[in-house]
Amino acid sequence: MKQADLIRCAAQRGERLGKSQVSQYVSGKTVPRRDVMRLLADILSVDAAWLAGADMQGACAKGAGAGKAASSGGRASARREAARRGPSSRDSAHVASQAAAPVPSSSVSQRSIPMREFKKSSKLDNVLYDVRGPVADEAARMESEGLRILKLNIGNPAPFGFRTPDEVVTDMRQQLPECEGYSDSRGLFSARKAIMQYAQLKGLPNVGMDDIYTGNGVSELIQLCMNALLDTGDEILIPSPDYPLWTACATLAGGTPVHYICDEEAEWNPDLADLESKVTSATKAIVIINPNNPTGAVYPREVLEQIVEIARKHQLMIFSDEIYDRLCMDGIEHVSIASLAPDLPCVTFSGLSKSHMIAGYRIGWMILSGNKRCMRDFVLGVNMLSNMRLCSNVPAQSIVQTALGGHQSVKGYVAPGGRVYEQRNYVYEALNAIPGITAVKPKAAFYIFPKMDVERFNITDDEQFALDLLHEKRILITRGGGFNWGKPDHFRIVYLPRMGILREALDDLADFFEHYRQN
Ligand code: PLP
């Protein structure tokens, strides 16, 4: 049977088939719609599923002389589909079940065209976010079976009893009716004014209202900046360990994250020689996370000055993530690196997720400062991306002014006697009392990044360690590798739970390490 015969047969049945349509089916360029597939199967007296490419081994040909022309088209498209999908046991099971069980013709036509599989973008191949990664998935699976898991993996204050200040909640409730529309894409005037005043107090130079952007958390703004700045192949210096979103967003944007080492022996301050040795002609920017997640380090002014010097020498932008800047302990004053670099292009990030314990409202901001002339084009990119997302969550913007002004309840948490302060002291002492574990005392935030003696515990795989701890003690931590730390010898604990729970957790950890040897 020729293609023209197919068209004629269809016309005899009162159906229209175009010549080019049929030749496209035959060449395998397009797959016929279900009704067309049914019509073709009818004309050719073959099974529609077989015609669509399912390997039905004898279950297919209802009549002799099944049309070669049309069937080669159907099978070609099926092969194309199979090649696109790749080998998969799910596919063969699907085909086998089709072959084994004949189904009514109406449902055959429903299922006759195998649906292609949708794979994630290869852009995600090198992207990692283990704070909520495979070990956290295993914890969720265990919870679904009714087990109780202590989650020390994520810095989410509210579940541990850190409540949003009442005044903030009251003010949001009151303003809610006025927050129904989109705001200016950078944010409400009142929010940006309060952020600008905050920037003034921190000594950020050359900041106007248009240099402030609110975001759905700092997270959105990190992503936005990486997309606005990085071309394929551009390098950006990011600390190791880092808050992994930075590396993930730089990678997704097509850039190349280059990690500089933060030195545990030097209270986790950046190793400046390592940092400078990694600058190349492709380097565009330095990221610092200060105060640091996961180490709890706060960089002294002298260290910041030297980073500025390196940025100045090599003409680099500075991105400074300061979301924990109001959570410093031991009387340490936080210095914004941008305040030391009036001649350099700087972007400073902060928000209310941590200092105001309202991670769920999703409000953060970034401030452009210093040399804005040299980042004019970058700013055009930022504006374009900011406009494209319309604006950040408006109810959350409406409480920025309240949150940043007046009494700061967070001060009580980080002062002696406060929860964060006392919990930090306890966890630090208890970890260092465990044979084979050492930890630098965090100066800010609510994380600690202990080191394990890998020889003593025979640890070669930190994800396996995290899984072993989860299975044995039902404690969920994040492995050091999740923070782009190169060796399997660290993990991060979030010390937000109340003292009683922390004591239990640390007893369990001590018990675990007493006998743990990785297989
Ligand atoms: N930056 C750092 C260093 C963080 O630790 C976090 C969250 O843990 C974020 C940014 C994200 O903050 P946000 O809740 O504002 O998106």
Side-chain angles (χ1 to χ4, degrees):
M1 189 180 269
K2 294 190 176 128
Q3 291 183 30
D5 298 327
L6 274 177
I7 295 165
R8 193 174 29 79
C9 288
Q12 279 165 0
R13 289 162 198 242
E15 305 278 355
R16 220 185 95 72
L17 271 181
K19 218 170 154 183
S20 65
Q21 250 177 322
V22 174
S23 69
Q24 293 221 355
Y25 302 154
V26 172
S27 67
K29 281 191 187 138
T30 56
V31 179
R33 290 193 321 262
R34 273 195 199 119
D35 53 342
V36 178
M37 187 70 89
R38 219 168 347 187
L39 172 67
L40 290 170
D42 252 358
I43 296 171
L44 295 165
S45 300
V46 296
D47 191 289
W50 176 81
L51 188 58
D55 189 0
M56 302 187 71
Q57 286 217 330
C60 51
K62 282 194 250 159
K68 277 185 188 152
S71 69
S72 71
R75 297 187 74 75
S77 56
R79 264 200 309 278
R80 211 160 30 83
E81 286 303 309
R84 190 158 45 199
R85 281 181 280 119
S88 137
S89 56
R90 266 177 47 215
D91 285 357
S92 42
H94 171 67
V95 169
S97 70
Q98 275 199 356
V103 271
S105 64
S106 65
S107 49
V108 165
S109 59
Q110 291 288 317
R111 290 188 221 146
S112 59
I113 305 169
M115 189 65 184
R116 72 190 234 220
E117 195 179 312
F118 293 88
K119 300 220 161 174
K120 69 173 162 43
S121 153
S122 56
K123 292 199 291 285
L124 288 165
D125 284 352
N126 296 314
V127 172
L128 163 132
Y129 193 75
D130 270 23
V131 175
R132 277 183 167 160
V135 183
D137 290 345
E138 171 63 3
R141 190 197 60 75
M142 290 165 71
E143 275 185 323
S144 73
E145 287 180 353
L147 298 174
R148 261 192 49 221
I149 308 290
L150 176 58
K151 296 199 197 85
L152 304 181
N153 65 315
I154 191 162
N156 190 13
F160 299 109
F162 289 94
R163 303 310 310 269
T164 306
D166 287 345
E167 193 186 0
V168 170
V169 179
T170 309
D171 283 11
M172 182 187 269
R173 194 174 287 144
Q174 200 149 8
Q175 295 182 82
L176 215 43
E178 279 106 64
C179 295
E180 289 167 357
Y182 296 130
S183 68
D184 175 284
S185 82
R186 288 186 181 85
L188 296 173
F189 182 87
S190 67
R192 285 187 294 138
K193 189 78 187 172
I195 295 164
M196 192 168 113
Q197 286 167 345
Y198 188 75
Q200 285 166 357
L201 291 178
K202 301 237 26 176
L204 270 54
N206 197 16
V207 177
M209 286 292 281
D210 283 351
D211 301 320
I212 294 165
Y213 298 76
T214 62
N216 295 305
V218 165
S219 306
E220 184 189 31
L221 299 170
I222 292 175
Q223 191 172 359
L224 193 152
C225 279
M226 294 299 94
N227 280 326
L229 182 73
L230 296 175
D231 265 318
T232 307
D234 283 347
E235 292 177 8
I236 181 161
L237 292 162
I238 297 180
S240 168
D242 70 346
Y243 175 59
L245 189 67
W246 280 100
T247 298
C249 289
T251 307
L252 261 175
T256 304
V258 176
H259 291 106
Y260 62 88
I261 296 295
C262 293
D263 184 1
E264 189 165 21
E265 305 293 312
E267 306 210 297
W268 286 118
N269 284 328
D271 178 335
L272 298 169
D274 185 63
L275 193 159
E276 188 161 16
S277 75
K278 289 181 173 157
V279 176
T280 71
S281 57
T283 311
K284 267 193 164 168
I286 299 180
V287 174
I288 69 166
I289 301 170
N290 177 38
N292 191 268
N293 173 11
T295 64
V298 182
Y299 303 155
R301 181 182 290 269
E302 311 79 72
V303 169
L304 296 172
E305 280 168 348
Q306 291 175 71
I307 295 173
V308 168
E309 221 21 76
I310 294 172
R312 192 172 281 133
K313 184 166 150 196
H314 299 281
Q315 305 218 332
L316 305 175
M317 276 188 81
I318 296 177
F319 291 96
S320 185
D321 182 343
E322 303 183 355
I323 193 158
Y324 299 99
D325 70 338
R326 283 141 290 167
L327 288 167
C328 291
M329 290 173 267
D330 310 324
I332 293 173
E333 191 208 346
H334 177 264
V335 178
S336 276
I337 192 167
S339 69
L340 309 174
D343 55 327
L344 296 182
C346 295
V347 188
T348 304
F349 300 79
S350 196
L352 299 183
S353 291
K354 314 293 177 175
S355 61
H356 289 74
M357 310 292 181
I358 45 179
Y361 286 11
R362 311 307 298 131
I363 176 71
W365 56 82
M366 64 178 182
I367 306 166
L368 312 186
S369 68
N371 186 341
K372 286 182 291 182
R373 206 166 341 113
C374 69
M375 54 173 158
R376 265 194 306 234
D377 203 53
F378 165 72
V379 172
L380 290 181
V382 166
N383 289 345
M384 175 179 275
L385 293 172
S386 174
N387 288 335
M388 280 159 59
R389 55 88 210 232
L390 297 169
C391 65
S392 69
N393 177 348
V394 181
Q397 290 181 46
S398 77
I399 47 89
V400 170
Q401 193 174 28
T402 306
L404 285 183
H407 172 68
Q408 298 293 296
S409 55
V410 70
K411 283 194 174 155
Y413 292 137
V414 292
R419 270 189 68 188
V420 174
Y421 180 90
E422 298 300 332
Q423 288 165 199
R424 186 267 318 245
N425 287 356
Y426 169 71
V427 167
Y428 166 70
E429 301 284 347
L431 280 169
N432 282 297
I434 299 175
I437 303 292
T438 49
V440 175
K441 194 172 193 177
K443 298 185 176 76
F446 31 66
Y447 310 104
I448 191 164
F449 198 55
K451 180 174 187 176
M452 301 176 283
D453 179 341
V454 284
E455 278 172 22
R456 181 185 183 115
F457 303 118
N458 196 38
I459 293 175
T460 53
D461 178 343
D462 57 357
E463 184 168 308
Q464 189 56 50
F465 151 70
L467 282 168
D468 292 341
L469 179 66
L470 176 67
H471 289 143
E472 188 182 320
K473 295 295 183 189
R474 295 180 198 162
I475 295 175
L476 175 62
I477 50 83
T478 308
R479 70 186 181 104
F483 302 96
N484 294 296
W485 181 248
K487 297 187 205 137
D489 58 354
H490 281 76
F491 63 102
R492 186 189 76 171
I493 288 183
V494 175
Y495 57 79
L496 283 170
R498 287 189 185 280
M499 202 63 112
I501 298 173
L502 277 181
R503 278 189 211 286
E504 251 179 67
L506 269 293
D507 285 351
D508 279 348
L509 265 181
D511 192 47
F512 177 84
F513 281 117
E514 207 171 289
H515 66 79
Y516 185 62
R517 272 191 74 76
Q518 194 168 89
N519 293 323

